Amino acid sequence: MRTAGDVSIHLRGHPDGVVIAVLTGDLDRLGAPALEDVLAELLADRQDFVLDLRGLGFLGVAGLEVLLDTARATTRCGVSWAVVTWGSVVNRTLEALGVSGLLPVHPTLIDALAEIETGRAEHAR
């Protein structure tokens, strides 16, 4: 587990080879660099992943920038990813700023994992 500022990031593997990063706390300018580091490692390893943001109580601008940068980086690297945000403050932030359509957001982990499988199939073509 990694902790920075008020955010904790717990990584766990899923049987299909996807890494699930569960975030809790507040993703602000103090915590964003820790998430950047985790994501940089996953991208360097070309590792598909899910960000589970349901445990966040706050998503600041710095955290949002990390998510948007991740969307661009995964496209360049050919990595499949998805975000779980149902019922959280994250959804309200993404919708208020008009960027929810730029991220692969899903209400459940099952839906997010299905997105990964779809992405893997597309990358295999």
Side-chain angles (χ1 to χ4, degrees), residues 66 74 87 97 100:
V66 172
T74 54
L97 296 173
S100 59

Side-chain angles (χ1 to χ4, degrees), residues 26-50:
D26 296 336
L27 185 55
D28 55 16
R29 66 178 180 80
L30 298 175
L35 180 57
E36 278 182 318
D37 291 346
V38 167
L39 295 174
E41 291 172 17
L42 294 172
L43 291 169
D45 293 341
R46 302 254 192 261
Q47 176 65 57
D48 297 332
F49 62 93
V50 171

Side-chain angles (χ1 to χ4, degrees), residues 85-115:
T85 64
W86 184 79
S88 72
V89 67
V90 175
N91 280 342
R92 291 188 301 274
T93 302
L94 297 177
E95 290 169 13
L97 296 173
V99 297
S100 59
L102 301 176
L103 303 173
V105 176
H106 299 280
T108 68
L109 181 57
I110 292 170
D111 293 333
L113 290 168
E115 170 91 8

